[in-house]
Amino acid sequence: MKEWIFTTDHKRVGILYLIGSMAAFAVAGIMALLMRAEQFNIGLGVASEPTQYNTWLYFHGAAMILGFLIPGLTGFAANYLIPLMIGAKDVAFPRLNALSLWLFWMGIVVALLTFVIPDAPDIMWTGYPPYSVKTAGNTAFYVFTVHLIGFSSILGAVNFLTTIIYMRAPGMGWMQMNVFVWSLFTGLIVQLVFVPVLAAAVTLLLFDKYLGTHFFDAAAGGDVLLYQNLFWFYSHPAVYVIFLPAMGLLFEIISTNAKNRPFNYNALIVGMCGIVLITGEVWVHHLYTSGMPDWIRIGQMVTTLMISVPVGVMVISLWGTLYKGAITFNTAMYYGVSCLFLLLLGGLTGIPLAMTALDLHLSETSFIHAHFHFIMGIFAAFVVFGSVYFYFPKMTGRMCNEALGKLSFWLNFIGVNVTFWPLFIIGVKYGMPRRYYDYARIPEAVPYHHVATFGAVLVALGITLMLVNWIYGAIKGPKAPENPWRSASLEWTHAASPPPHGNFPAPVTVSSDWTPYNYK
C-alpha cells in the first residue's frame, strides 16, 4: 500500500488515475439513474424535494466531466502510455506528477462530501449566477473542487508537454510519434491556455457570494453574462481536451486492429493543430439565446461551422484506416467501431446547433442534452472503456474474458441508444426542457421518459458486467502473450507486460524509417 501511495512511477500513477476516474464515473452514473427514475413519471417521485434533484444534476455533470472524462484521458491514458510510446523511462517531473494525482484525488473526495454536508451544492457543473450566488447550497465546495482538479490538470499539462518535447527516444521525429501522443500534445495546449479562465470565473463567483463583490450582479453594475462568457470560453475548448485524446486512443485501437497505418497521417496531424487554432473562437454558440449583437452570433456561427473541417479530416482518416484492413474484432475493436457511429450521430446533430436560426428553437431542450451526450460523454467514455480492454494485457499481464466483454459492450451500446434517442425526439417535438425535474405541462413525454429509463438500466447492467470482467481478469485472467494485438508501437515491442520500473530493459533508439504503425 505504501508503495502505491508514495509512488512516482508514471504507470502506477496512471492506474490510480483510472481507479479514481472510474469511481467518479460510478457515483455519477448512480446520480444519472436517480435522475432517470425521478423523470419516469410527472411530479415529485424519488427526490424528496426539487433541490435534491439539482444536487444529483450538479454531481453528475461535474463528476463526469471533471472527475471522469478529462482525468480518464489526460490522467490515466497519458500517464500510462506517453513515456512508453516515446521510449522514455518516466515523465519529466515524476514528483510533480504525483502531486497532480493527489490533487485530483482530493478534488474527488471534496466532491463526494456533497452527500454528507447539510448545504450540498445544487448549481450544476456550470455554476451560473445569479442562482449560484443566491442559493443556500454550498457554492464554495463547487469552487474548491474546480480549483483542485484544475490545478492538477495544469500541472499535468506542463509535465506531459515537457516530456513529449524533450524525452522522445533518440531518432524519433515529430512525424514518427503515435497519433495518441500528438492528440495529447494538442489537447494539453488547449488545457493549459483555457483552464485558468475557468479558475478566474469561479473565483469571482466565490467573491460575489462570500465577500460581497458584484462582478456578476447587474443591479450593482456587474454583468451576469460575463460569467457565462468566461465559463464557455473554457468549457467549449474543454470539449476538445476530451475529444482530441479520445480520438488519439481511437486511432491506436482501430489502426492496430485493422493492421493499417492511420490514413493520411500528415493531414490528420494538421487537423489536430487546426482545432487548437480555432477552438477559442466558438464558445458563443452556447449563448445564442442571450443578449448580444447579431454580428457576434453570425461570426461565431461561421467559426463553429469551420471547426467541423479539421474534425472532418480526422473522421475521414478514421474511416480510411479501415480500408482494406485485416480487421480483428475483439472487444476493444467493438468499442472502436461503435465510436464511428457515435461520431457520425453526434457530429450531424451538432450542425443545427451551430446555426443561429435553428439553435434558437432547440436551445435548452433535451435535444442538446442527447447531442452532447453522444458526441462527448458516450463517445469519450466508450473510448476509455475500449482502451482499457486494449491495454489490459499491458497493464496486468493478463487477458479479460472476451465473451463477457462483448456482452457488456452490447448492453452498453444498446442501452445508450435506447436512453438518448427518445430525448432527441421530445426535444424537437415538444420542446422538452433539459435539467427539469418535472414536466407537468408535457404529459405526452411520459412514454419517452419510460423508454429512456429502461435504456439507463441496460447501461447500468453493462457497466457492472464490464467492471466484474476487469476485476476478475486482473486477478484470475489467463496470462497474456507479450504482444497479443501484434502492434508495432514501442510499448508493445520493447517493454514487458506489465513494464517494470524504468520501462525498458535497454535505452530505446529508433531509425529514421521507423513508425509505430509498421504492420507486417
Side-chain angles (χ1 to χ4, degrees):
M1 180 65 76
K2 182 180 176 182
E3 291 178 351
W4 281 87
I5 292 175
F6 294 101
T7 187
T8 57
D9 185 322
H10 70 94
K11 299 178 290 297
R12 288 188 172 186
V13 169
I15 290 172
L16 289 172
Y17 263 113
L18 176 62
I19 294 170
S21 60
M22 288 306 299
F25 173 83
V27 181
I30 292 170
M31 298 300 105
L33 287 173
L34 289 171
M35 288 188 287
R36 281 279 95 240
E38 174 56 43
Q39 289 190 323
F40 193 76
N41 281 315
I42 290 173
L44 207 56
V46 179
S48 58
E49 54 185 342
T51 54
Q52 188 176 24
Y53 179 87
N54 288 346
T55 299
W56 297 340
L57 191 58
Y58 155 76
F59 191 91
H60 175 76
M64 278 293 186
I65 295 172
L66 302 175
F68 169 59
L69 291 175
I70 294 179
L73 293 162
T74 64
F76 153 62
N79 265 287
Y80 201 92
L81 297 174
I82 291 298
L84 288 166
M85 284 181 170
I86 65 173
K89 290 183 177 180
D90 207 323
V91 294
F93 310 112
R95 288 185 174 81
L96 197 67
N97 203 28
L99 174 61
S100 174
L101 166 71
W102 292 113
L103 284 172
F104 161 70
W105 269 94
M106 287 170 64
I108 295 293
V109 171
V110 170
L112 287 173
L113 290 176
T114 294
F115 303 110
V116 297
I117 60 175
D119 52 347
D122 59 349
I123 56 176
M124 299 186 298
W125 84 288
T126 52
Y128 282 170
Y131 182 76
S132 56
V133 175
K134 295 178 179 178
T135 177
N138 197 323
T139 301
F141 254 68
Y142 164 74
V143 174
F144 194 39
T145 302
V146 170
H147 281 169
L148 284 171
I149 295 180
F151 193 42
S152 166
S153 65
I154 288 174
L155 295 180
V158 171
N159 203 356
F160 283 104
L161 289 175
T162 308
T163 302
I164 294 169
I165 293 172
Y166 292 106
M167 297 182 67
R168 299 193 309 278
M172 182 182 288
W174 283 92
M175 301 310 282
Q176 291 175 285
M177 296 195 305
N178 293 67
V179 175
F180 176 63
V181 180
W182 262 111
S183 72
L184 191 78
F185 186 78
T186 49
L188 291 180
I189 291 174
V190 174
Q191 182 160 287
L192 198 58
V193 171
F194 292 98
V195 165
V197 178
L198 176 65
V202 298
T203 301
L204 296 180
L205 199 66
L206 192 76
F207 289 173
D208 269 15
K209 175 150 186 172
Y210 297 101
L211 299 181
T213 58
H214 302 285
F215 291 105
F216 307 125
D217 183 359
D223 185 350
V224 72
L225 284 180
L226 172 63
Y227 179 86
Q228 290 195 33
N229 277 284
L230 290 171
F231 180 84
W232 287 111
F233 188 67
Y234 157 77
S235 295
H236 194 80
V239 170
Y240 295 100
V241 174
I242 295 169
F243 180 79
L244 284 167
M247 286 292 282
L249 282 172
L250 193 54
F251 270 100
E252 301 303 328
I253 294 171
I254 288 182
S255 179
T256 302
N257 281 300
K259 298 294 178 288
N260 254 345
R261 178 184 167 86
F263 176 73
N264 215 352
Y265 175 92
N266 291 355
L268 167 62
I269 304 306
V270 171
M272 289 182 181
C273 297
I275 288 175
V276 175
L277 292 176
I278 303 176
T279 190
E281 295 295 332
V282 297
W283 83 94
V284 164
H285 71 255
H286 292 273
L287 293 94
Y288 280 157
T289 55
S290 64
M292 68 177 68
D294 287 341
W295 66 267
I296 294 180
R297 288 193 182 94
I298 299 301
Q300 295 238 333
M301 178 184 76
V302 173
T303 55
T304 302
L305 290 171
M306 277 176 59
I307 207 165
S308 63
V309 175
V311 171
V313 168
M314 297 178 69
V315 174
I316 289 171
S317 290
L318 265 180
W319 283 92
T321 303
L322 290 171
Y323 182 65
K324 290 188 176 179
I327 301 174
T328 302
F329 283 103
N330 50 38
T331 305
M333 193 60 171
Y334 273 42
Y335 279 102
V337 172
S338 72
C339 284
L340 297 174
F341 169 76
L342 296 173
L343 276 172
L344 187 66
L345 180 60
L348 291 178
T349 55
I351 292 173
L353 298 178
M355 304 176 73
T356 53
L358 293 173
D359 184 85
L360 289 172
H361 298 283
L362 296 171
S363 181
E364 303 306 327
T365 70
S366 61
F367 182 92
I368 291 182
H369 180 185
H371 158 71
F372 75 72
H373 271 82
F374 273 115
I375 193 62
M376 187 175 73
I378 302 166
F379 162 70
F382 271 33
V383 170
V384 172
F385 300 157
S387 64
V388 171
Y389 277 108
F390 188 69
Y391 290 105
F392 196 86
K394 177 56 57 181
M395 291 189 289
T396 65
R398 296 180 181 276
M399 301 293 287
C400 280
N401 184 295
E402 277 290 311
L404 191 56
K406 289 173 182 174
L407 173 62
S408 62
F409 161 79
W410 282 115
L411 287 170
N412 288 334
F413 183 72
I414 294 171
V416 296
N417 280 281
V418 172
T419 300
F420 288 102
W421 273 101
L423 302 184
F424 273 134
I425 297 169
I426 57 177
V428 174
K429 195 172 182 180
Y430 305 119
M432 174 72 202
R434 63 185 180 131
R435 299 170 178 157
Y436 281 25
Y437 81 97
D438 195 17
Y439 48 99
R441 294 185 177 181
I442 315 175
E444 301 89 346
V446 171
Y448 294 91
H449 281 292
H450 285 179
V451 174
T453 306
F454 293 137
V457 172
L458 282 180
V459 175
L461 182 58
I463 295 295
T464 302
L465 290 179
M466 182 183 74
L467 293 176
V468 168
N469 196 11
W470 289 354
I471 295 169
Y472 183 82
I475 299 171
K476 295 284 188 180
K479 287 194 175 182
E482 282 298 311
N483 190 356
W485 319 127
R486 292 185 292 130
S487 170
S489 189
L490 292 181
E491 73 273 21
W492 294 104
T493 57
H494 285 63
S497 299
H501 188 70
N503 294 339
F504 304 102
V508 177
T509 58
V510 299
S511 60
S512 59
D513 60 348
W514 174 87
T515 163
Y517 306 107
N518 183 25
Y519 303 110
K520 297 177 181 176

